């Protein structure tokens, strides 16, 4: 009978809508087994001669319990696992306030920095010291 059956789900058992999943089943079995993947809640079945199953463009309806059944003339072995498909949400467009607040803050900062720089330049041109004028009369 089949023994040491392992099931791997790539990229993961939790995926987003629209993604694909590859399920691979490995087993030690002689005679060679029939390998069937079945979704338990609706009975949908797929057969694979090499133990690899491809599920394309998944939707939230594909979420559920799955069973891999490995069977030959001497017996069978099953593995049960869950695939969870989460709803895809497109990246949200930033709201007007999420744009205006940083722009307004940056503008205020640059204005204040400009005023301070201008003040420092004027202070430097006047100098912190002044040359004294010397009258030399002879």
């Amino acid at each position: 009978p089949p023994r040491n059956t392992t099931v791997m789900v790539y990229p993961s058992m939790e995926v987003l809508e629209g993604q694909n999943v590859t399920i691979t089943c490995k087993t030690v079995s002689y005679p060679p087994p029939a390998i069937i993947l079945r979704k338990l809640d609706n009975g949908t079945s797929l057969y694979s001669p090499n133990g690899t199953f491809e599920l394309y463009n998944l939707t939230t309806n594909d979420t559920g319990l799955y069973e891999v059944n490995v069977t030959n003339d001497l017996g069978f072995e099953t593995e049960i696992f869950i695939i969870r498909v989460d709803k895809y949400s497109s990246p949200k467009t930033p709201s007007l306030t999420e744009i205006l607040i940083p722009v307004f803050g940056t503008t205020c900062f640059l204005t204040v920095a400009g005023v301070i720089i201008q003040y420092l330049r004027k202070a430097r041109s006047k100098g912190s010291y002044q040359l004294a004028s010397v009258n030399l009369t002879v």
Side-chain angles (χ1 to χ4, degrees):
R3 294 282 182 251
N4 302 323
T5 301
T6 59
V7 175
M8 301 295 289
V9 181
Y10 301 100
S12 155
M13 286 191 271
E14 289 191 31
V15 294
L16 293 176
E17 257 183 333
Q19 287 187 306
N20 303 329
V21 167
T22 301
I23 300 163
T24 58
C25 175
K26 304 242 186 253
T27 190
V28 176
S29 175
Y30 187 83
I35 302 173
I36 296 172
L37 172 68
R38 184 167 63 102
K39 186 171 182 205
L40 294 178
D41 67 349
N42 66 9
T44 302
S45 295
L46 298 171
Y47 168 79
S48 171
N50 64 0
T52 299
F53 302 90
E54 299 281 340
L55 305 179
Y56 297 102
N57 198 23
L58 295 176
T59 68
T60 54
N61 294 332
D62 295 311
T63 295
L65 282 174
Y66 288 79
E67 174 188 69
V68 172
N69 187 320
V70 181
T71 305
N72 67 12
D73 294 338
L74 302 176
F76 68 94
E77 191 169 40
T78 60
E79 292 289 326
I80 295 175
F81 59 95
I82 296 173
I83 292 179
R84 180 176 161 188
V85 182
D86 292 324
K87 188 146 186 74
Y88 175 79
S89 58
S90 60
K92 80 173 197 165
T93 306
S95 68
L96 191 57
T97 56
E98 290 174 322
I99 294 171
L100 289 180
I101 290 174
V103 168
F104 180 73
T106 302
T107 303
C108 288
F109 172 78
L110 291 175
T111 302
V112 169
V115 168
I116 291 172
I117 289 171
Q118 185 65 25
Y119 175 77
L120 291 174
R121 282 185 182 163
K122 283 185 179 181
R124 185 181 297 165
S125 69
K126 288 182 181 177
S128 55
Y129 59 90
Q130 292 198 353
L131 295 174
S133 58
V134 177
N135 285 336
L136 294 175
T137 50
V138 183

